[in-house]
Amino acid sequence: MTRTIVPIGPYHPLQEEPEFFTLTVEGETVVDIDLKLGYNHRGIEKLSEGKVYDQAIFVVERVCGICSTSHPFAYTQALEDLASVEAPPRARFIRTIIAEGERIHSHLLWLGLAGHFLGYNTVFMWSWKLREEILDVMEILSGNRNNYAMFKVGGVRRDIQSEDIPEVLRKIDSIVPTLEKLRKAIMEDPVLHARTKGIGVLSREAAVDYCAVGPTARASGVARDIRKHCSYGAYEEISWQMIVAHNGDVFDKLLVRIKELFESINIIRACLSGLPDGEIDCRVTDIPPGEGIGHIEAPRGECFHYVRSDGTNRPVRHKIRAPTYMNLPTYKSTVVGETISDAAIILAAIDPCYCCTERIAVLDDKGQKLHSGKQLLDLSRQKTEQLRARFGV
Amino acid sequence: MGLLDDAFLKSLWVFHLATGSCNNCDIEALDCLTPRHDIERFGMLLTGSIKHADVLLVTGAVNRQCIPRIKNIYEQMPKPRLVAAIGECALSRGIFIHSYNCPMPLDHVIPVDVYIPGCPPKPEAIIAGLVKLIERRKTNKLTEKV
Amino acid sequence: MLQLLKDHFPQAIVSVHDRGPKRVYLEIDAGAITEVAGHVFKELGARFNTASAVDGRNRMEILYHFTLEDINLVLSFRVFLPKTALVIASLTSVFTAAEWIEREIHEMFGIHFVGHPQLERLLLPEDWPEKVYPLRKDYEEWDPDAVRDRGV
């Protein structure tokens, strides 16, 4: 049987680099994949070494736009670990609120993209419209829709005014009914079940071997969530649940993320109602020599920062490891054996954040460009149409 | 040439190119398509192919690996063509100016017609920038810009 | 926990730096890394986080970070390599998660990992010159066309 090489085109509608992965295909089944990174590499670890600790927070915020709070959060945890200080309670609660707000916006973004790949453009428009409400909430709390710049070593930079809280709660309450409707529509759709159940299964052993993190791992039964196990922020002081599923297929990844959305809403409500009074900054004056590690649960998994300092006010080494770095290699294990019309949605289920991973490109071996990215997306949508016809929907 | 100008400016199709960006500007640009800001009512569509595009929206601090591809894409774009640089990174690389993998700013690679600052610029700012581009084109007549 | 590790590998552990119940740093012999990593991953059930390489003045060091979530502990194993012999065994035989990070350390610092199935470039572009390692302290700008001022 002849093997053909199929480069997958732009995964993110946002990224337009021509190719991403090279799939080797026999007939319709994917046999092997090859991935090459490098298009988003901006040398942030080296940049960090030239900056003062306070400036490095802003560099680190721009590692990724979608998880733009996770990196400063982990970085400030690392510095606080170094300096052996702890942020005051009010600061910890505010940090948790911002982090959960980011989780909601990231999962809604993902939901829209997943819908887009399956051909459900209405889901895309609806979830991004809901997302606007959350971005409004973040704008009320921090002043900006995306790069919040709320974190600082030892606390947060801005306080939450109590007169803003009713407005925030009102906005959050206003999206819950629509979210419920969306959730029902998605969960009860037979075509969606047919498209996502049993597809792209990541077994528990593979998840452990690849050291996958976040919803990708939790959908395969690996019950690990940094928020539960490693106390940071306010997660220990409020009650919330970790969501785990066991089949490891695309449907479970979808389920885990949607349930996490609702949990995050509850966490924000609990934090806002239980917000303690007090200082928001513990005023760290200098960073002693030593090393610090900070890790937190970003929307995609565990974000890990390691900082080594020698007593001056610039870091000697700042290592950043984003969650997608561990999750992306699992694509190899999940897509081999599946058909190419499912390749796009299996990739989407990992929720890759390429700018965090430092980007993807392609190896175009024989110059055989059989399908462009757009055509692969179209293949995926055609399959949905066929299933729709079959189910009479 | 009046008819051509009018027809061109009434409905600009945009092609989006991300060159080593953190995705924030990309998401804000995509946000323009969603129901709240909805630029489709102005006739602006996001196209998948550069050969159908009128405006090239570039985001990101220009990565070393992306430079030949940016030039390639710019060359493939049919005239009249306009380029919009969105976000601080596309303007001058922003905080990545000393990065070893970002050697030069965007306007050393391709000519840029409108610069939209911000990190990220809000969707309103992007729309305002594109409107300014349209206004300028109207007053300047459609000549090929150097 | 520490006592368990110490008993298991008496020769390999050179020194221990206990920063509290959540963070422990152990310095071990470069030759023993595969055994120690294998034991921690398989028997203790730890998850491999990442590996950070640091360019020191006289020697390079690699830290391998493992997390044991259930007891909220991050274990870091420190390995020193002399600058004349930057070679160490690869951990890909123990778990697949090490593949990418070792490629990255190889192209950023120049450390060679023996036994890695595909030790080639991960992040740097193809036209990046050989033997130029960006994250080393002695890295210098090699590109004459780079524009580093703001043009003001």
Side-chain angles (χ1 to χ4, degrees):
Chain A
M1 200 180 285
T2 48
R3 289 189 160 199
T4 40
I5 314 255
V6 178
I8 287 196
Y11 150 71
H12 250 262
L14 318 170
Q15 314 287 43
E16 291 292 4
E17 277 81 20
E19 293 113 322
F20 287 68
F21 302 86
T22 317
L23 305 179
T24 310
V25 178
E26 261 180 25
E28 272 257 323
T29 327
V30 178
V31 191
D32 194 12
I33 78 164
D34 203 350
L35 18 110
K36 192 170 160 224
L37 307 183
Y39 280 116
N40 234 355
H41 183 60
R42 286 159 286 157
I44 292 180
E45 292 179 11
K46 185 85 182 176
L47 272 181
S48 223
E49 287 173 19
K51 305 233 182 281
V52 176
Y53 290 109
D54 283 330
Q55 292 171 329
I57 293 190
F58 297 107
V59 177
V60 149
E61 204 169 33
R62 274 120 183 119
V63 168
C64 175
I66 312 174
C67 21
S68 92
T69 302
S70 317
H71 288 282
F73 202 166
Y75 177 62
T76 47
Q77 293 282 125
L79 285 178
E80 286 165 9
D81 180 37
L82 231 188
S84 303
V85 295
E86 205 183 295
R90 191 179 172 87
R92 280 190 287 117
F93 270 70
I94 295 180
R95 282 178 175 182
T96 310
I97 294 173
I98 301 283
E100 291 303 313
E102 182 197 56
R103 194 180 313 272
I104 298 179
H105 115 76
S106 171
H107 283 328
L108 278 173
L109 190 147
W110 177 80
L111 197 60
L113 288 183
H116 180 65
F117 290 146
L118 287 175
Y120 289 80
N121 262 334
T122 320
V123 170
F124 175 61
M125 291 295 170
W126 272 42
S127 55
W128 280 53
K129 181 160 171 252
L130 283 177
R131 205 178 140 252
E132 293 288 329
E133 302 290 324
I134 294 293
L135 292 182
D136 280 346
V137 165
M138 303 311 284
E139 194 167 357
I140 294 175
L141 292 176
S142 72
N144 194 1
R145 287 153 54 104
N146 274 314
N147 285 332
Y148 318 118
M150 288 286 272
F151 288 81
K152 139 180 213 212
V153 187
V156 288
R157 291 177 70 211
R158 265 182 226 98
D159 202 353
I160 295 186
Q161 313 297 329
S162 39
E163 44 284 356
D164 289 331
I165 295 182
E167 173 72 15
V168 167
L169 283 171
R170 194 186 58 80
K171 276 206 187 260
I172 292 183
D173 289 338
S174 73
I175 69 170
V176 175
T178 328
L179 216 55
E180 248 320 306
K181 247 198 270 181
L182 201 61
R183 184 184 76 92
K184 262 202 184 154
I186 291 176
M187 292 291 119
E188 292 169 7
D189 188 70
V191 177
L192 208 100
H193 282 231
R195 281 277 350 235
T196 55
K197 280 207 164 160
I199 304 282
V201 177
L202 181 69
S203 67
R204 198 171 184 283
E205 295 73 39
V208 171
D209 184 40
Y210 280 100
C211 297
V213 289
T216 313
R218 284 199 285 281
S220 300
V222 180
R224 284 171 166 172
D225 188 333
I226 306 286
R227 295 175 288 169
K228 238 343 166 199
H229 300 281
C230 311
S231 58
Y232 70 94
Y235 294 106
E236 274 193 331
E237 294 162 51
I238 48 182
S239 90
W240 61 278
Q241 282 175 339
M242 176 167 58
I243 318 278
V244 183
H246 296 278
N247 293 329
D249 54 11
V250 175
F251 184 74
D252 272 357
K253 294 180 178 136
L254 181 67
L255 196 68
V256 168
R257 290 195 175 98
I258 291 185
K259 285 190 174 169
E260 276 189 5
L261 257 175
F262 287 98
E263 275 303 314
S264 293
I265 292 184
N266 292 340
I267 295 179
I268 294 188
R269 282 193 184 129
C271 281
L272 279 173
S273 58
L275 197 60
D277 293 319
E279 288 281 310
I280 53 166
D281 182 8
C282 71
R283 269 155 254 246
V284 178
T285 41
D286 65 350
I287 306 277
E291 18 192 25
I293 289 179
H295 60 155
I296 63 129
E297 182 83 11
R300 285 160 183 77
E302 179 205 26
C303 182
F304 184 92
H305 281 235
Y306 165 77
V307 181
R308 155 93 60 102
S309 119
D310 59 356
T312 61
N313 61 357
R314 283 164 213 269
V316 168
R317 176 82 172 100
H318 180 191
K319 168 82 187 148
I320 304 178
R321 195 274 280 156
T324 305
Y325 204 77
M326 306 311 279
N327 287 340
L328 208 44
T330 65
Y331 189 48
K332 237 188 202 169
S333 151
T334 48
V335 86
V336 170
E338 304 284 350
T339 57
I340 40 173
S341 42
D342 290 323
I345 187 63
I346 297 177
L347 179 58
I350 312 178
D351 196 4
C353 181
Y354 295 123
C355 35
C356 284
T357 317
E358 275 128 291
R359 258 341 239 100
I360 307 273
V362 109
L363 273 193
D364 194 341
D365 264 7
K366 299 190 184 125
Q368 286 270 20
K369 204 168 159 200
L370 291 182
H371 298 271
S372 73
K374 193 168 179 308
Q375 283 167 313
L376 269 160
L377 280 189
D378 284 341
L379 270 174
S380 173
R381 290 181 196 142
Q382 270 167 30
K383 188 172 175 189
T384 308
E385 290 303 317
Q386 287 163 12
L387 284 172
R388 270 205 181 122
R390 211 200 320 158
F391 280 89
V393 172
Chain B
M1 276 290 148
L3 184 61
L4 210 65
D5 282 2
D6 277 338
F8 177 63
L9 295 171
K10 275 282 189 202
S11 161
L12 289 171
W13 282 23
V14 300
F15 181 81
H16 171 274
L17 180 68
T19 63
S21 82
C22 77
N23 269 348
N24 243 335
C25 298
D26 305 316
I27 297 174
E28 296 291 61
L30 208 65
D31 245 349
C32 293
L33 292 171
T34 53
R36 187 183 276 199
H37 307 283
D38 204 8
I39 55 174
E40 261 183 70
R41 53 196 164 123
F42 302 133
M44 294 198 209
L45 271 187
L46 191 68
T47 109
S49 162
I50 187 65
K51 304 239 158 88
H52 300 160
D54 302 311
V55 186
L56 179 67
L57 294 178
V58 187
T59 60
V62 176
N63 209 352
R64 215 176 270 274
Q65 240 172 330
C66 291
I67 293 179
R69 282 161 175 86
I70 298 177
K71 290 197 178 130
N72 204 357
I73 288 197
Y74 183 69
E75 245 109 80
Q76 286 181 24
M77 215 172 148
K79 300 188 181 127
R81 55 191 175 194
L82 300 168
V83 177
I86 295 188
E88 289 301 325
C89 292
L91 300 197
S92 67
R93 293 164 295 164
I95 47 177
F96 298 108
I97 196 169
H98 294 295
S99 158
Y100 55 81
N101 219 20
C102 301
M104 55 189 78
L106 185 65
D107 37 24
H108 285 237
V109 182
I110 55 175
V112 177
D113 291 295
V114 68
Y115 298 85
I116 302 178
C119 189
K122 293 176 80 158
E124 289 96 335
I126 298 178
I127 297 176
L130 291 174
V131 167
K132 262 197 174 161
L133 180 65
I134 295 177
E135 295 297 315
R136 217 195 77 187
R137 261 329 189 208
K138 275 192 183 151
T139 53
N140 268 357
K141 297 272 168 73
L142 221 62
T143 51
E144 179 56 24
K145 189 184 179 297
V146 169
Chain C
M1 171 62 43
L2 260 168
Q3 206 48 49
L4 276 176
L5 275 172
K6 274 197 189 147
D7 295 333
H8 216 92
F9 297 104
Q11 299 94 4
I13 299 186
V14 173
S15 73
V16 174
H17 177 51
D18 191 342
R19 276 206 90 208
K22 296 199 228 173
R23 309 273 185 261
V24 176
Y25 299 83
L26 291 103
E27 188 191 324
I28 60 171
D29 248 348
I33 184 64
T34 9
E35 279 176 65
V36 176
H39 175 78
V40 169
F41 183 68
K42 295 189 175 116
E43 265 97 81
L44 300 178
R47 178 172 55 87
F48 175 64
N49 255 328
T50 193
S52 330
V54 187
D55 187 9
R57 206 169 301 184
N58 305 316
R59 48 191 187 166
M60 290 238 194
E61 113 185 41
I62 309 184
L63 280 119
Y64 294 88
H65 306 280
F66 289 84
T67 311
L68 280 125
E69 268 118 343
D70 309 319
I71 51 177
N72 190 7
L73 172 67
V74 176
L75 268 179
S76 308
F77 294 107
R78 199 196 303 273
V79 168
F80 284 107
L81 298 173
K83 286 211 178 174
T84 45
L86 289 173
V87 180
I88 189 169
S90 160
L91 285 183
T92 40
S93 47
V94 185
F95 37 73
T96 345
E99 264 180 44
W100 277 20
I101 187 65
E102 290 184 348
R103 275 170 75 178
E104 192 184 333
I105 296 183
H106 170 72
E107 68 179 354
M108 294 289 166
F109 286 89
I111 300 179
H112 182 79
F113 290 90
V114 178
H116 192 283
Q118 201 190 1
L119 200 64
E120 43 180 57
R121 288 219 162 126
L122 190 73
L123 300 173
L124 291 176
E126 295 109 8
D127 51 352
W128 190 269
E130 295 281 333
K131 305 262 185 261
V132 176
Y133 301 114
L135 250 58
R136 285 201 184 174
K137 296 293 180 190
D138 52 6
Y139 167 76
E140 273 166 15
E141 181 82 67
W142 52 268
D143 186 1
D145 299 321
V147 174
R148 294 289 170 211
D149 61 41
R150 294 184 193 276
V152 179

